[in-house]
Amino acid sequence: MTTFDEREIAFENKFAHDAEMQFKASARRDKLIGLWAAGLMGLSGEEAAAYAHEVVRAEVKGAGEAAVYRKLSADLGERADEATIRKTMQSMLAEAKDQLMTEIN
């Protein structure tokens, strides 16, 4: 195997790893924001966990982050405006990435 082939394989492996980590971070973000939204709606315990699972499924079934936003916006109504939801989604993504990095190390 040539050096070029080894580099190509390494690049493909890194790409696959990065895609997997992004998927995990997005799913974790969706769970975290689902729990946040559940709290705003007065849900707790198993109801909150079930709602968070619905939010995760929204991204998988829909068009990614946009589907999550649409679900949250529709479900929260007047409890949170667009800016609040989007800002919280960003902060939850950062938190999800931090959690994943902590678990890896």
Side-chain angles (χ1 to χ4, degrees):
M1 186 177 298
T2 66
T3 302
F4 180 75
D5 292 334
E6 290 171 355
R7 288 177 129 180
E8 183 179 12
I9 290 169
F11 178 76
E12 290 170 355
N13 289 339
K14 181 181 180 336
F15 181 82
H17 178 265
D18 291 350
E20 178 184 3
M21 292 303 291
Q22 184 60 42
F23 175 79
K24 287 180 179 182
S26 293
R28 180 140 337 170
R29 179 217 43 218
D30 297 343
K31 180 181 177 184
L32 292 171
I33 199 157
L35 292 171
W36 168 79
L40 291 179
M41 293 185 289
L43 304 175
S44 61
E46 289 183 22
E47 290 178 324
Y51 180 76
H53 186 69
E54 287 179 31
V55 174
V56 172
R57 282 195 321 230
E59 179 168 353
V60 173
K61 288 182 177 180
E65 188 174 313
V68 171
Y69 170 76
R70 284 191 303 272
K71 175 163 184 49
L72 292 169
S73 181
D75 292 349
L76 290 174
E78 296 294 319
R79 293 180 192 101
D81 62 9
E82 179 179 358
T84 301
I85 294 170
R86 293 199 184 277
K87 181 179 177 184
T88 304
M89 287 177 73
Q90 287 178 337
S91 67
M92 293 296 180
L93 181 59
E95 183 176 336
K97 287 179 180 180
D98 287 345
Q99 288 178 4
L100 287 171
M101 293 307 293
T102 300
E103 290 173 8
I104 291 171
N105 295 327

